[in-house]
Amino acid sequence: MLGVSTFHSTSLKTPSHSTTTRLNPTFPFSISISPSFNRSTTTKPLTIRAIDAAQSFDYESKIALQFHNSQKLKIAIIGFGNFGQFLATTFVRQGHTVLAHSRSDYSAVAQNIGVKFFPNADDLCEEHPEVILLCTSIISAQQVLLSLPFQRLKRSTLFVDVLSVKEFPKNFFLEILPNYFDIICSHPMFGPESGSSGWKGLPFVYEKVRIGNNETRVSRCEKFLDVFGREGCRMVEMSCADHDRYAAGSQFITHTVGRVLGMLTLESTPINTKGYESLLNLVENTSGDSFDLYYGLFMFNKNSLEMLERLDLAFEDLRKQLIAHLHDVVRNQLFEDAVKVQNLGDDSNHVARKHGQNGSAIVLSSKNQRSNGSGQSDDSTKLKIAIIGFGNFGQFLAKTIVRHGHKVLAYSRTDYSDVARELGVSYFNDADDLCEQHPEVILLCTSILSTEKVLKSLPVQRLRRSTLFVDVLSVKEFPRNLFLQHLPPYFDVLCTHPMFGPESGKNGWKGLPFLFDKVRVGRDESRISRCDLFLDIFSKEGCRMVEMSCAEHDWHAAGSQFITHTTGRFLEKLKLEATPIDTKGYETLLSLVENTGGDSFDLYYGLFLYNINAMEQLQRFDLAFESLKKQLFDRLHGIYRKQVFQNEEKVRDFPERSMLPEKSEDSSVVSFSNTVDAK
């Protein structure tokens, strides 16, 4: 309260016209106000005095403090390893009291976090924690629970698990725990790695298995769940059975793929695609988890064996698909060769059309020969580029090339004249007409399988002899050899591979790798300049320019691009779908399936058929998958074998009973082992 008063000198009488007002009858002083108050008088100035101003608010503050404290829990973490410490950090930050117990001594770590560590479980339970949080491994969870001294806990204690499978802990909780304990089965779908930047948006799955009707127990359950809700988790209430069904199709698949790829010892390459980088991240995230965690996902989720079998069948189906295509190619080649041999015998004119009289290749007449000039357009900084194969990828490149001011011509088996007109490209239905325009660059944007056929069909005699041929195929040694074999030596050759496409490059090409090998470029300054001008298109777009031999590219690509497409392809056969409990790793796989599924099978088959390293990578993938299955089944066999031998040891504890009589040294006496003396 505030008291306001004026004080007068004791020697000064109060004027008769002064007015005295008492604000509070209990207040010892009064306020005296004189109407003729003058600054020159000896009256003391107005004084503000305070007495315990917060006194009237003490009750409200105490109530607020009590409410604040009522929202805090005493949580005991059983199993204070990496994940237990990860959760404890957030619990402490939110103001909860955290106790911990573990087989290993984590007292120093606990002290740093602000947690009280108990080496003895009895001591911890005597502290009467409101929540017992089980953070052990799946394999040891049941054994740890059985070892806890339940009798030292309050009978209303809430038990919670955070295991990656849910039906298994639910069943052993209900079997082992007395019915006066509450139970929540939960699964934070993140860990120290994926949740290092916060938990916002990450799924937290839970089922209230058994919660008492008492208001305090219901409230305590909500307070525990609110720990994760306050951090921004996506709270998903779901039955344990539904969780395990979804998890087998997402989490188990994610860990299986990550472990298979981990066995391949994948490494970053100079030509990483976005898809390959996502696989490297997947390997890094899953490799940090113990094999026990992965084995637990397999052993204690009844849906996991089915998913493993589906994975196996999908990979086997993909391999058969590749081999079947390879068989068709070899078969067609054999039949084509047989037809050619027959035609050679039947039609001598066929040979005459292909070769000169002496059997050598026909040399172009001087009439059809073109000048050896560079053929550059009037503007020396702009090129006339002809795109052969104006499908999805050809159109994708054309947009950027046109934007750079270059003149673009196009030819394709399919009529894309309307699309070309919209892009500002001159379209030709006849390859001869296009070649007579003397483009400076011929850019081959065909599929890998049709490249040789298209190249052979081009009327190269109508081009200038200095024309630059460029390909953009996903393999490099094959087109390189094709160019050198079928193109006259006066043509320049540049082998390239933009390591992106319409999907991955839709937001720009900055930082995306563009590989190239100047296979054959004339020494003439204009031809060197033309090659550099073409490469500048990609350089100016911000591409990461990587000059590399075709052989080196194919070696790297087999270990990155082919593996990426193989993973995406066999996962596509599983018909994976988004679930309410998707992890970041599973979302990576879904994105990979979407990206690779957009490419034709011919592209993938071309990566396999025309890269000499691809078969080795397919075999390594197969061996890695078989090795992982062997690890799982060996562990499973070990557990079963241990159980069998334990049963045998129990049998041995009983008296042995011989099935046949034994003869003593006196052959006339027959005795039975373990029989009671007749006496």
Side-chain angles (χ1 to χ4, degrees):
M1 293 180 63
L2 295 177
V4 185
S5 60
T6 34
F7 297 95
H8 299 273
S9 171
T10 53
S11 61
L12 196 65
K13 291 183 179 180
T14 305
S16 59
H17 56 263
S18 67
T19 304
T20 301
T21 305
R22 187 173 293 273
L23 293 177
N24 190 334
T26 61
F27 196 70
F29 302 102
S30 64
I31 300 178
S32 299
I33 304 173
S34 172
S36 59
F37 177 74
N38 193 310
R39 292 181 184 273
S40 61
T41 65
T42 58
T43 305
K44 291 185 178 179
L46 206 64
T47 306
I48 307 294
R49 302 200 317 174
I51 61 162
D52 195 10
Q55 186 175 8
S56 60
F57 299 101
D58 280 352
Y59 176 74
E60 288 85 351
S61 63
K62 286 176 183 176
I63 293 297
L65 183 61
Q66 287 174 5
F67 176 78
H68 177 75
N69 291 335
S70 71
Q71 301 307 302
K72 305 307 175 188
L73 294 169
K74 186 188 286 187
I75 304 171
I77 297 177
I78 309 299
F80 202 58
N82 195 25
F83 194 72
Q85 296 166 24
F86 168 66
L87 294 179
T89 304
T90 298
F91 295 163
V92 170
R93 178 167 50 77
Q94 288 193 8
H96 302 286
T97 300
V98 182
L99 322 175
H101 165 69
S102 202
R103 288 178 300 179
S104 303
D105 182 9
Y106 289 113
S107 52
V109 178
Q111 188 176 0
N112 288 337
I113 297 175
V115 171
K116 191 173 181 181
F117 188 79
F118 293 83
N120 188 294
D122 289 82
D123 293 338
L124 179 140
C125 291
E126 286 177 353
E127 293 290 322
H128 288 174
E130 299 164 82
V131 180
I132 295 286
L133 186 62
L134 221 62
C135 288
T136 61
S137 71
I138 300 174
I139 296 172
S140 63
Q142 190 170 1
Q143 183 182 356
V144 170
L145 185 67
L146 285 167
S147 70
L148 292 179
F150 302 139
Q151 72 279 7
R152 305 198 183 282
L153 295 167
K154 284 189 175 182
R155 288 173 297 167
S156 62
T157 306
L158 170 62
F159 276 77
V160 185
D161 85 287
V162 289
L163 300 185
S164 302
V165 292
K166 294 272 63 77
E167 280 198 284
F168 170 65
K170 176 183 178 180
N171 292 338
F172 76 64
F173 269 165
L174 292 174
E175 180 183 347
I176 296 170
L177 292 176
N179 57 14
Y180 46 72
F181 287 128
D182 288 348
I183 298 171
I184 293 178
C185 285
S186 76
H187 182 198
M189 305 286 289
F190 50 89
E193 183 66 31
S194 55
S196 59
S197 302
W199 302 355
K200 189 175 181 180
L202 300 177
F204 180 88
V205 184
Y206 65 96
E207 181 184 357
K208 300 173 184 177
V209 177
R210 186 173 68 202
I211 304 296
N213 294 326
N214 185 288
E215 186 180 343
T216 58
R217 295 169 78 161
V218 173
S219 172
R220 179 185 57 195
C221 169
E222 297 304 326
K223 281 188 283 186
F224 177 78
L225 294 174
D226 193 48
V227 172
F228 299 88
R230 287 172 59 187
E231 292 297 314
C233 288
R234 180 161 53 86
M235 307 299 285
V236 182
E237 188 168 6
M238 176 184 291
S239 72
C240 292
D242 282 345
H243 169 278
D244 284 4
R245 182 166 52 85
Y246 285 127
S250 59
Q251 197 178 18
F252 179 69
I253 289 288
T254 303
H255 278 264
T256 300
V257 173
R259 287 197 170 267
V260 169
L261 295 174
M263 290 179 175
L264 298 178
T265 59
L266 301 181
E267 295 180 352
S268 183
T269 74
I271 56 172
N272 287 355
T273 59
K274 286 185 174 179
Y276 184 62
E277 285 178 352
S278 69
L279 291 188
L280 291 177
N281 290 334
L282 180 65
V283 171
E284 185 179 355
N285 289 340
T286 52
S287 63
D289 298 319
S290 66
F291 186 80
D292 278 352
L293 169 63
Y294 174 61
Y295 175 70
L297 294 174
F298 170 71
M299 180 70 175
F300 298 105
N301 188 334
K302 63 184 182 182
N303 307 283
S304 293
L305 183 58
E306 179 191 348
M307 292 309 302
L308 189 67
E309 290 172 347
R310 288 183 62 199
L311 266 172
D312 198 9
L313 290 172
F315 181 67
E316 186 63 26
D317 187 43
L318 183 65
R319 188 169 53 178
K320 285 179 179 177
Q321 209 174 344
L322 285 173
I323 301 302
H325 269 65
L326 184 61
H327 176 264
D328 287 343
V329 169
V330 174
R331 186 174 178 273
N332 290 338
Q333 285 179 345
L334 289 174
F335 275 90
E336 283 176 5
D337 290 343
V339 171
K340 286 178 182 178
V341 171
Q342 185 178 355
N343 288 341
L344 284 173
D346 295 343
D347 188 4
S348 58
N349 291 330
H350 178 80
V351 178
R353 284 197 301 272
K354 294 287 183 183
H355 301 280
Q357 295 299 321
N358 60 357
S360 60
I362 293 176
V363 179
L364 295 175
S365 64
S366 58
K367 182 179 178 180
N368 288 328
Q369 286 181 351
R370 306 301 176 189
S371 66
N372 198 27
S374 67
Q376 287 189 350
S377 55
D378 295 337
D379 186 347
S380 60
T381 63
K382 304 302 175 187
L383 296 170
K384 186 189 289 186
I385 301 172
I387 297 178
I388 310 298
F390 202 58
N392 195 25
F393 194 72
Q395 295 166 24
F396 169 66
L397 293 180
K399 291 177 187 176
T400 300
I401 295 173
V402 168
R403 182 160 48 79
H404 279 259
H406 302 288
K407 184 174 182 180
V408 180
L409 322 175
Y411 164 73
S412 200
R413 288 176 300 178
T414 307
D415 184 7
Y416 289 113
S417 52
D418 291 340
V419 178
R421 193 179 304 111
E422 290 179 5
L423 295 176
V425 172
S426 301
Y427 190 80
F428 294 83
N429 291 310
D430 189 291
D432 288 84
D433 292 340
L434 179 139
C435 289
E436 286 178 351
Q437 294 295 315
H438 290 174
E440 299 158 79
V441 180
I442 295 286
L443 183 60
L444 239 62
C445 288
T446 60
S447 71
I448 301 174
L449 300 182
S450 62
T451 300
E452 184 173 7
K453 184 178 179 181
V454 170
L455 184 63
K456 287 180 178 179
S457 71
L458 288 179
V460 294
Q461 71 277 7
R462 304 196 182 282
L463 296 168
R464 291 186 185 272
R465 288 174 297 168
S466 62
T467 306
L468 171 63
F469 275 76
V470 184
D471 85 288
V472 288
L473 299 186
S474 301
V475 292
K476 294 273 62 77
E477 281 197 284
F478 168 68
R480 175 185 182 275
N481 296 338
L482 203 62
F483 280 158
L484 294 177
Q485 181 181 354
H486 294 286
L487 290 178
Y490 44 72
F491 287 125
D492 287 349
V493 175
L494 176 67
C495 286
T496 76
H497 183 196
M499 305 289 289
F500 49 89
E503 184 62 31
S504 55
K506 63 184 177 184
N507 297 319
W509 302 354
K510 188 174 182 180
L512 300 176
F514 180 88
L515 179 135
F516 64 97
D517 183 7
K518 298 177 181 177
V519 176
R520 186 173 67 201
V521 178
R523 294 181 180 179
D524 185 82
E525 186 178 341
S526 60
R527 295 169 77 160
I528 294 172
S529 173
R530 178 184 57 193
C531 177
D532 291 337
L533 276 175
F534 178 80
L535 293 174
D536 274 349
I537 296 171
F538 300 88
S539 177
K540 288 177 179 177
E541 287 296 311
C543 288
R544 181 163 53 85
M545 307 299 284
V546 183
E547 187 167 7
M548 178 185 290
S549 72
C550 292
E552 193 177 356
H553 167 277
D554 283 3
W555 187 81
H556 285 305
S560 60
Q561 197 179 18
F562 178 69
I563 287 293
T564 303
H565 278 263
T566 299
T567 304
R569 287 272 166 187
F570 84 80
L571 289 176
E572 183 186 18
K573 292 180 178 293
L574 298 177
K575 307 296 182 186
L576 301 181
E577 295 180 351
T579 74
I581 58 173
D582 288 354
T583 59
K584 286 185 176 180
Y586 185 63
E587 287 174 352
T588 296
L589 294 186
L590 291 178
S591 298
L592 180 66
V593 171
E594 184 180 356
N595 291 338
T596 54
D599 298 320
S600 66
F601 186 82
D602 279 353
L603 168 63
Y604 172 59
Y605 176 64
L607 293 174
F608 169 71
L609 184 62
Y610 296 107
N611 189 331
I612 59 175
N613 308 283
M615 180 63 86
E616 178 192 346
Q617 290 298 328
L618 189 67
Q619 290 171 344
R620 290 184 66 220
F621 198 105
D622 190 20
L623 289 172
F625 191 29
E626 288 299 320
S627 176
L628 184 64
K629 286 190 295 181
K630 185 176 183 300
Q631 264 186 289
L632 285 174
F633 292 126
D634 280 353
R635 178 74 71 91
L636 190 62
H637 175 262
I639 290 175
Y640 177 70
R641 185 172 178 274
K642 186 177 180 181
Q643 288 175 345
V644 170
F645 275 91
Q646 281 177 346
N647 292 334
E648 281 189 7
E649 288 171 4
K650 289 177 183 177
V651 171
R652 286 173 189 164
D653 290 339
F654 291 98
E656 293 183 8
R657 289 179 289 192
S658 178
M659 301 300 293
L660 295 173
E662 296 176 359
K663 281 190 176 183
S664 65
E665 292 182 1
D666 182 358
S667 60
S668 62
V669 179
V670 178
S671 64
F672 288 85
S673 62
N674 297 322
T675 57
V676 180
D677 191 349
K679 294 181 181 179

